[in-house]
């Protein structure tokens, strides 16, 4: 199985409010930090729905992820910043740390998920101006995304965004 594809599908399932499907899909992929993170996020959704029987597994996942990220930093390895930002934002309730990681990640990796994490982190940290690189990137590339549009609207409502200059010198 393709781990990247499985994690991308798990992200979609989480966005659709289908955490049980994430657990059944990724249950065997706990060696991957990304998969374990998505399993923990699914368990968190279930706990938030009142299904407290998932709380113990969620806490175990949090501890394991925290230990993995710390071990990687201690070894001097490159922590996957996308996953670390998601962990800080959604499982550790630390939007400031998530924002720092998301900004650094977005400098190197620009996919819609990376933009979403930066937008969400900036809003959660009450620092919407920090999301401007993602907003500009989307506008400069003519990118539209139904999941990102509401986040961009929230950023627009709080920050004056200078117009983007096109290649022919016109402003939009």
């Amino acid at each position: 199985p393709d781990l990247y594809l499985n994690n991308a599908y798990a992200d979609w399932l989480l966005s659709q409010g289908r955490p049980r499907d994430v657990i059944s899909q990724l249950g065997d992929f706990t060696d991957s930090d990304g998969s374990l993170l998505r399993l923990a996020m699914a368990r968190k959704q279930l706990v938030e729905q009142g299904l407290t029987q998932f709380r113990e597994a969620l806490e175990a996942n949090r501890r394991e992820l925290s230990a993995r990220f710390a071990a990687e930093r201690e070894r001097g390895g490159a922590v996957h910043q996308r996953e670390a930002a998601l962990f800080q934002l959604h499982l550790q309730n630390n939007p400031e740390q998530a924002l720092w990681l998301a900004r650094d990640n977005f400098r190197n990796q620009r996919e819609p998920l990376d933009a979403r994490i930066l937008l969400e982190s900036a809003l959660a940290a009450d620092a919407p101006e920090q999301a401007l690189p993602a907003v500009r990137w989307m506008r400069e590339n003519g990118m539209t995304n139904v999941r990102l549009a509401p986040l961009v609207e929230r950023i627009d409502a709080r920050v004056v965004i200078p117009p983007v200059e096109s290649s022919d010198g016109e402003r939009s």
Side-chain angles (χ1 to χ4, degrees):
D2 184 308
L3 192 57
Y4 180 83
L5 182 59
N6 278 339
N7 285 342
Y9 183 53
D11 288 333
W12 182 82
L13 290 169
L14 287 168
S15 74
Q16 300 300 305
R18 295 173 52 189
R20 287 183 187 270
D21 292 334
V22 172
I23 291 171
S24 65
Q25 178 200 353
L26 294 179
D28 295 332
F29 295 102
T30 58
D31 289 344
S32 157
D33 294 347
S35 296
L36 183 59
L37 171 68
R38 285 153 179 90
L39 284 168
M41 290 170 64
R43 290 180 173 122
K44 182 181 179 207
Q45 280 188 11
L46 291 166
V47 168
E48 288 171 347
Q49 293 171 6
L51 300 170
T52 58
Q53 67 266 33
F54 291 95
R55 187 178 311 276
E56 189 175 317
L58 168 60
E59 293 309 317
N61 292 158
R62 278 185 172 139
R63 287 189 303 274
E64 177 66 22
L65 285 163
S66 186
R68 287 183 187 188
F69 288 137
E72 188 64 32
R73 280 190 306 275
E74 288 174 14
R75 285 192 301 268
V79 172
H80 294 106
Q81 291 175 311
R82 174 191 286 174
E83 279 73 19
L86 284 168
F87 176 68
Q88 290 297 324
L89 182 63
H90 295 292
L91 296 172
Q92 296 295 91
N93 195 30
N94 188 344
E96 291 81 14
Q97 182 68 20
L99 177 57
W100 184 85
L101 291 160
R103 272 192 329 245
D104 198 45
N105 178 60
F106 193 75
R107 285 186 199 109
N108 301 310
Q109 189 162 302
R110 294 189 176 196
E111 296 178 27
L113 179 56
D114 303 304
R116 188 182 95 213
I117 296 165
L118 180 53
L119 295 166
E120 288 177 344
S121 298
L123 289 165
D126 197 30
E129 68 284 351
Q130 296 295 314
L132 291 180
V135 173
R136 285 187 190 114
W137 172 74
M138 291 173 63
R139 290 188 174 142
E140 287 169 0
N141 292 290
M143 183 183 151
T144 58
N145 183 301
V146 295
R147 290 175 45 198
L148 299 182
L151 297 169
V152 171
E153 287 174 14
R154 290 176 56 199
I155 299 291
D156 282 341
R158 298 188 54 202
V159 178
V160 176
I161 301 173
V164 175
E165 198 167 297
S166 69
S167 60
D168 59 5
E170 289 188 25
R171 294 178 156 240
S172 60

